[in-house]
Amino acid sequence: MKKVKKWGASLLTACLMIVMTAGCGGNAAPSGTSNQPAAAGGDSKPSYNFKLAHITPPTHTWHLAAEKFKEELDKRSGGRMKLEIYPSSQLGTEADMVQQIGAGSVDFGLITAAYLSSRSPSFSAWFTPYAFPDLKAANEARHTDVAKKILATLEQQGLVGLDYLFAGQRVMLFKDKEVLKPEDMAGLKLRVTPSPPLQDFYKFAGASTEGLPLPEVYSAVQTGVIDGMDMDLDATITNKYYEVVKYGAVTNHMVWPAVAMVSKGTFDKMPDEDKQIVRDAIAAAADFSATTRAGQEEEFKRTLSDKGMKIYEIDPALFGPIMKEFDQKYGPTNPLIQEFIDTFRK
């Protein structure tokens, strides 16, 4: 009888342990920012809590595109894919963000092609002067073979390039000198993103360049440290540069793409169906960005004129010698840059 009672007590203890184990985490999802699988049933699909980082303020075109990406992920996945967005360099510099994406602590990034050209030289191709007549043509170019080949160079860095998102084309802002031809820039000191192809474009015209961080640009032009800058109309408004510069030459001499990328570690773990949802969602965001931005061009010009700036255009033909010098310098350095120039230089 004692043996039966003892055996019964042991059985009861074992059952309780099984129940407690099942209730305290036997089906717990793995930790991390993404790929949190649903707990029930063999037919369930994984759910995700993604993070995305970028450098622009919430009013900028790229942040609006990130919000569109978030909306598309949620809609196309039936609510399984959630996205937290960290704008305005909240997670650090672009170098910091790329490191975090590569390590998998951040899932997605919208990183400028200008920065990426320092890590993968073929991205310099996008700064070929006057390669595209307008933003629509640039947006269509993202579907070409050479554009896709440039994206593919990121894989060796633990990154997957998904697509390109365009902000406005580049314009020139000058504090107190109306530049009407490239020669007028001789001797001027201009803030230019610290990327060799962008800086060389201005050096070919005789200007000197400074790679100041964006937060320092306003005060630098206000105090005369620099004479102007390479910028886009969107950022000219959001950063209130119209308060410190008088002239805006709408040259549209280069496009300004961000590269939408995802951690390779995150992406490789996803089923093909979910990978396609991500690709389709970012493609919708990219089209939204380019279409929305292209429609704002005249509005931005009027806004800046109303703020007191003189907005004018410079004939692209005047930059012919600079285009030739750029092509001769950069084409031979990389086969993808040469293919890009051959494809789009008409």
Side-chain angles (χ1 to χ4, degrees):
M1 186 67 176
K2 289 181 179 179
K3 290 183 178 180
V4 173
K5 288 182 178 179
K6 185 175 181 180
W7 179 84
S10 299
L11 180 61
L12 178 60
T13 301
C15 289
L16 287 171
M17 290 179 66
I18 291 171
V19 172
M20 291 172 66
T21 300
C24 295
N27 291 316
S31 60
T33 62
S34 64
N35 199 12
Q36 306 296 324
D43 294 332
S44 62
K45 296 180 180 180
S47 58
Y48 306 84
N49 293 304
F50 294 128
K51 291 181 179 179
L52 179 149
H54 65 81
I55 62 171
T56 59
T59 52
H60 192 270
T61 301
W62 287 341
H63 183 77
L64 301 181
E67 293 283 2
K68 178 67 172 176
F69 179 47
K70 176 180 179 177
E71 174 190 321
E72 292 289 332
L73 284 176
D74 184 69
K75 179 176 68 176
R76 293 169 185 269
S77 70
R80 294 185 296 112
M81 295 183 180
K82 304 298 183 185
L83 182 68
E84 294 178 66
I85 303 172
Y86 296 85
S88 306
S89 300
Q90 289 181 23
L91 300 186
T93 64
E94 289 195 295
D96 296 328
M97 294 177 204
V98 171
Q99 183 178 23
Q100 291 160 10
I101 295 165
S105 58
V106 173
D107 302 292
F108 295 97
L110 304 181
I111 306 298
T112 63
Y115 169 72
L116 290 175
S117 68
S118 67
R119 299 175 61 101
S120 181
S122 59
F123 282 97
S124 296
W126 284 103
F127 304 110
T128 299
Y130 294 100
F132 306 104
D134 52 39
L135 203 56
K136 180 182 177 182
N139 188 51
E140 291 172 353
R142 57 184 248 266
H143 300 297
T144 61
D145 287 342
V146 65
K148 293 174 182 177
K149 289 177 189 175
I150 293 171
L151 280 182
T153 63
L154 293 175
E155 294 221 11
Q156 60 195 9
Q157 301 181 42
L159 308 165
V160 177
L162 295 171
D163 214 328
Y164 301 92
L165 286 82
F166 291 93
Q169 294 170 284
R170 306 309 283 176
V171 302
M172 303 175 184
L173 307 181
F174 302 102
K175 182 181 180 181
D176 50 22
K177 181 177 181 178
E178 184 177 7
V179 169
L180 298 175
K181 57 186 182 298
E183 292 80 3
D184 292 342
M185 287 188 279
L188 295 183
K189 187 179 291 187
L190 305 174
R191 188 273 174 183
V192 180
T193 300
S195 174
L198 278 79
Q199 293 177 324
D200 278 344
F201 175 81
Y202 286 95
K203 290 176 181 177
F204 294 157
S208 59
T209 62
E210 293 286 338
L212 297 172
L214 271 178
E216 298 178 17
V217 173
Y218 184 101
S219 62
V221 70
Q222 183 180 40
T223 58
V225 173
I226 56 176
D227 301 302
M229 66 194 81
D230 178 274
M231 196 52 59
D232 63 69
L233 294 178
D234 192 345
T236 303
I237 294 170
T238 58
N239 292 294
K240 298 184 177 181
Y241 294 136
Y242 54 79
E243 295 179 345
V244 291
V245 298
K246 295 179 182 178
Y247 301 102
V250 183
T251 49
N252 292 334
H253 53 282
M254 292 178 184
V255 293
W256 190 249
V259 176
M261 62 175 62
V262 60
S263 167
K264 192 171 187 301
T266 296
F267 208 56
D268 285 350
K269 293 175 185 176
M270 298 174 68
D272 290 344
E273 177 187 357
D274 288 350
K275 289 179 182 178
Q276 193 59 47
I277 288 173
V278 169
R279 290 190 181 279
D280 291 344
I282 199 65
D287 284 331
F288 167 84
S289 178
T291 302
T292 301
R293 180 59 186 81
Q296 295 172 317
E297 190 77 2
E298 294 306 316
E299 174 193 343
F300 287 166
K301 290 179 186 178
R302 286 194 300 271
T303 297
L304 292 171
S305 293
D306 291 344
K307 295 291 185 181
M309 283 184 64
K310 181 174 181 179
I311 301 297
Y312 60 97
E313 297 181 2
I314 301 177
D315 183 358
L318 295 174
F319 290 88
I322 293 177
M323 295 183 219
K324 184 177 180 180
E325 192 168 0
F326 183 97
D327 294 355
Q328 290 176 340
K329 177 172 181 176
Y330 281 91
T333 65
N334 185 285
L336 288 179
I337 297 177
Q338 188 63 60
E339 183 178 350
F340 191 99
I341 291 172
D342 294 341
T343 300
F344 300 113
R345 179 69 78 208
K346 305 300 183 184

